[in-house]
Amino acid sequence: VTSAGMHNIEAQGAPSRETPQKYKERAAKLWEHSIRRQFGIETSRAKEAADFMLENHLGTVRDNLRGQCTHGHSCKMSSLEKLQMTIDILEEEVGGVDLYAAVS
């Protein structure tokens, strides 16, 4: 979200302009052993790495947020907002507060 190389990359791991169907097609093709053919990486190891990244996504985003606006790094309000929004969404998925139940 915060570096030029991550421009237009969203949570699904694909350019945000890509349709969900196109993303599924692209992901399926990637996992059909093209990783092994093109990069010498076994499909099972690539999936293991993807699982690791997914399991650590929240911590990675938090670390990225801490690194923003520190000495020697750029400071963009839009990046801070996107990172914080991502944290809020991820935390809500793992047991956030049900506001409707809280006010009922």
Side-chain angles (χ1 to χ4, degrees):
V1 180
T2 61
S3 70
M6 296 300 287
H7 182 66
N8 285 333
I9 301 296
E10 300 297 335
Q12 73 175 358
S16 58
R17 294 185 188 105
E18 198 164 291
T19 66
Q21 180 59 36
K22 186 71 174 171
Y23 172 74
K24 287 178 185 176
E25 291 170 9
R26 207 178 276 239
K29 185 175 183 179
L30 177 68
W31 292 118
E32 288 174 1
H33 305 291
S34 63
I35 290 176
R36 185 169 49 88
R37 280 195 312 272
Q38 294 181 10
F39 302 105
I41 300 170
E42 291 298 324
T43 303
S44 62
R45 298 290 289 166
K47 287 183 179 179
E48 184 180 314
D51 289 343
F52 176 83
M53 294 296 290
L54 188 58
E55 289 171 14
N56 293 285
H57 186 208
L58 179 58
T60 302
V61 175
R62 283 186 177 138
D63 188 51
N64 198 331
L65 182 61
R66 281 190 296 272
Q68 291 295 305
C69 302
T70 57
H71 182 70
H73 293 83
S74 64
C75 185
K76 296 180 185 172
M77 186 57 68
S78 61
S79 295
L80 292 172
E81 290 171 351
K82 284 182 181 181
L83 289 166
Q84 186 60 57
M85 183 174 63
T86 301
I87 291 169
D88 293 345
I89 290 168
L90 291 171
E91 286 179 339
E92 188 171 295
E93 288 177 359
V94 281
V97 176
D98 183 352
L99 293 178
Y100 181 76
V103 295
S104 300

